Structures are given as C-alpha cells and as structure tokens.
Amino acid sequence: MGRSPCCDESGLKKGPWTPEEDEKLLQYIQKNGHGSWRTLPRLAGLNRCGKSCRLRWTNYLRPDIKRGKFSQEEEQTILHLHSVLGNKWSAIAAHLPGRTDNEIKNFWNTHLKKRLIQMGFDPMTHRPRTDFFAALPQLIALAALRDQLGAAADPAAAQLQAGAAAGVDVAIQAAKLQYLQCLFQSAATTIASTAAAGAAPDAEAAAAALGGLCSPQGTHDSTAPPVSAAGGQLPSCTFPEAPVSSEGNQGLSYGGADVDVFAFHGGGSLPPLADLSDAAKYPSADGCSATASSSFGGGATSPLPWPEFFPDDPFITDFL
DNA sequence: AATGAAGGCAACCGCAGAAGG
DNA sequence: GCCTTCTGCGGTTGCCTTCAT
C-alpha cells in the first residue's frame, strides 16, 4: 500500500498510557467525539498517534467496556462463534456487549485455546486432533511385542516380562474400546446428519440407537439454538467430549449430538484446564475425538468416516 | 527470601479494505 | 478508474504479575 505507518513520526510517545493522557483523551472525546483519529491527538493535546488513541479508547476508555472475568455464557458464546467465524475477533466481539475484540482475543489465546488443545481439539478448526490414531500403530505393535514376550521359553523371564507388559495390556484394551466406541459414535453422527438432510427418514432413530450404544449419557441436544452467520444456517459439528480429570460434568462420555462442539453441548462450557499429566493418563482423551466425524468443512461422501478401518480392518476383526 | 518460569494483558505493528478526491 | 488517505482488524510483542522451586 506504500503508506507510511502513522506512528513513524518521531517524537510521538509509545507505550503505556498515563492517567493524565487517559483523562485528556476521555475528556476530548466526550466533548467532541473522536472524529478523525488522525487529527485527534493534536486537537486533544496528546503526543500520540491517532492509532494509539483509537486503540486506547476502544479497548480501555470507552464507557461501555465491561471489565472482569468472562462469564460461562460469554465463554460459550466465544467458543461457538469462533467455531463458526474463526479468528474474526471483531465479529465475535459484536455479539458480546461490552467486550472488546482485543480482550476476547487475549482470552482466547490464554485460556480457551489451551483448553481445547488439552482436550484434544484443534483450536483452529474445533475438530479433533489425530494424535491418538497416529499412535495406534505403535500401540498395536506394542501388543504384538507383548504376545511375543509372553511366548518366550524362559518362564522366569516371561514372568518379568508379563509384569512389564501388563501396563501396555491395559492401554491396548482401553484403546480398543475407545476405538470401537468412536466407530459407533461416528456412524451415529453420520446417519443423523444424513437424516437431517432428509435422505433417510428413519435414520435419526437408528443414529440415536447407535449413539446410545456407545454413549449411555449421550444427548441429542435438540434445544441447541441454531446460530446463523451471514444469513445462513451454520455448519454444525459433532464432537465427543473428552474426558477430563478435574471437576466438571464430563466423565468418559461421548455425547452424540449434531450441535457444535462445546458451545451448546451438554449445556456446559469447557471444563477448566486439567493438568497435562492427567491428559496423559487418559489416552482416550484424544481417542474418540480423534476419529469423530464432522460436517464442519463438509464434503464427506463416504457413509462411514474411516473406510480404511472399517469393517475389514484386522484390528476390528481381532477385537470382534 | 531470591530467582526463574509461566501467565495475563495492554499496546504496537503491518496489512487490507473502504472512502474520498 | 486510479491514487491517496484513513480506519479497522488480526497477529505479535513486551512488560508486569503471579507462581513454583
């Protein structure tokens, strides 16, 4: 664009605002309105660039600024809107009276983003990360190794090895269970979305049945308000809730519902950040989520999300 | 009590689009 | 239609505070 930055002019103050500067800016704007930000600093007697003044006003001095912690409602709104709008902080802020885009951005970067990551979701797409399935081959290899160890001729060595392999065994079983649950869950989701599109009249019931199979606590949150953006129905996402170790409403549940990920799911906001060691204790935290399908981004043409796994995958046949 | 690490927040920077001449 | 100016937005940085060792 070739335009020189407004703050390049030498002699203009940068950095934190003093109470005196705040007072000058506040009084000037209350008296005259901000008008042209470019000329405001000079007229208001401030040695700042217009940009800096605008930022100070919009993020701090504006009388309708709401301060303090974000409520759970606000948190949910941010999560939901972010899943739809992405990093459109100003657009998100427009839905949160009294909150600035900068404040929301900071809150996202310092709290919500971390929480999503910790729960195994990609904070940008709100889709599950694939870490778990990336690790599956290793888990399976470990299981095979355990079998070999168990077949070792030396009984004493086998005894030692059995102990060492016991932990792996538990992990493998858990992984298998998670995997299977996810398959069911995703199938339910896929069918449900198909039903929503009118393709299969009774598919939703089937989906509900499947959802119930893998998620006793599963809810189909039909009360979730549809949110529209740009005048259209928003794409919906279906993600399971990841188990968390800290207080909260989730156990190891996989509530299937064709609503957006945390925002309106289960009526609660994200659980507080859990210790990462807890996440490690629950390999399934990524497990189910890692494979859950979503209509977000659309385009899935396969009736099942993982044709490469199901139903002929040796892992499944082994499990069954 | 001292020190380093991490978290939280305010402010800056650069870019893109809108508006005006 | 083109150019310049201005505004707004999103990403990033840096400082201050809090926490852990």
Side-chain angles (χ1 to χ4, degrees):
Chain A
M1 287 290 198
R3 181 172 57 90
S4 60
C6 69
C7 299
D8 273 2
E9 296 113 303
S10 59
L12 289 182
K13 192 181 173 211
K14 289 191 202 173
W17 281 65
T18 64
E20 291 75 29
E21 287 176 313
D22 280 346
E23 189 61 28
K24 277 186 183 177
L25 181 60
L26 193 59
Q27 290 205 344
Y28 179 85
I29 291 180
Q30 282 177 345
K31 206 171 175 182
N32 309 290
H34 63 70
S36 163
W37 287 113
R38 185 87 165 177
T39 55
L40 183 146
R42 186 171 44 83
L43 297 172
L46 288 161
N47 191 29
R48 296 264 183 180
C49 71
K51 213 173 191 179
S52 181
C53 292
R54 183 180 61 80
L55 214 60
R56 185 63 179 171
W57 171 256
T58 55
N59 287 339
Y60 195 82
L61 295 176
R62 237 173 48 197
D64 58 334
I65 295 278
K66 193 197 283 183
R67 303 231 149 252
K69 294 186 70 173
F70 281 79
S71 69
Q72 288 216 337
E73 259 186 11
E74 288 175 316
E75 197 176 285
Q76 286 180 29
T77 304
I78 294 169
L79 279 165
H80 183 70
L81 290 173
H82 186 272
S83 74
V84 172
L85 301 169
N87 292 359
K88 301 287 180 192
W89 305 118
S90 57
I92 294 172
H95 290 80
L96 292 163
R99 300 293 189 183
T100 69
D101 53 356
N102 203 41
E103 198 178 8
I104 293 169
K105 180 172 59 182
N106 284 333
F107 182 63
W108 173 266
N109 285 328
T110 56
H111 295 93
L112 300 181
K113 189 172 162 185
K114 289 177 186 173
R115 233 182 282 174
L116 281 175
I117 290 171
Q118 191 173 327
M119 292 175 67
F121 288 87
D122 184 332
M124 291 315 294
T125 63
H126 290 238
R127 297 176 70 173
R129 286 150 59 194
T130 54
D131 305 352
F132 174 79
F133 270 82
L136 252 189
Q138 284 90 330
L139 286 172
I140 294 168
L142 276 173
L145 180 63
R146 181 210 55 187
D147 291 341
Q148 287 181 356
L149 290 173
D154 182 356
Q159 198 171 6
L160 281 173
Q161 289 156 349
V168 175
D169 191 34
V170 171
I172 295 298
Q173 290 308 317
K176 285 183 176 182
L177 188 58
Q178 292 298 319
Y179 182 71
L180 204 63
Q181 284 181 326
C182 290
L183 283 175
F184 282 127
Q185 175 59 42
S186 178
T189 300
T190 305
I191 294 170
S193 44
T194 307
D202 57 348
E204 194 157 0
L210 272 173
L213 180 60
C214 70
S215 172
Q217 304 168 31
T219 55
H220 197 88
D221 192 355
S222 58
T223 61
V227 176
S228 60
Q233 181 75 21
L234 297 175
S236 62
C237 307
T238 302
F239 302 124
E241 290 169 345
V244 290
S245 60
S246 47
E247 90 210 19
N249 33 12
Q250 295 100 346
L252 195 62
S253 70
Y254 300 94
D258 55 349
V259 294
D260 186 26
V261 55
F262 303 104
F264 297 102
H265 189 75
S269 58
L270 281 178
L273 276 169
D275 189 280
L276 283 174
S277 59
D278 286 327
K281 283 182 216 161
Y282 298 100
S284 55
D286 278 351
C288 186
S289 59
T291 60
S293 69
S294 167
S295 60
F296 195 76
T301 52
S302 170
L304 286 171
W306 320 286
E308 68 273 28
F309 285 124
F310 191 79
D312 294 319
D313 189 277
F315 178 59
I316 294 300
T317 54
D318 173 55
F319 188 87
L320 297 174

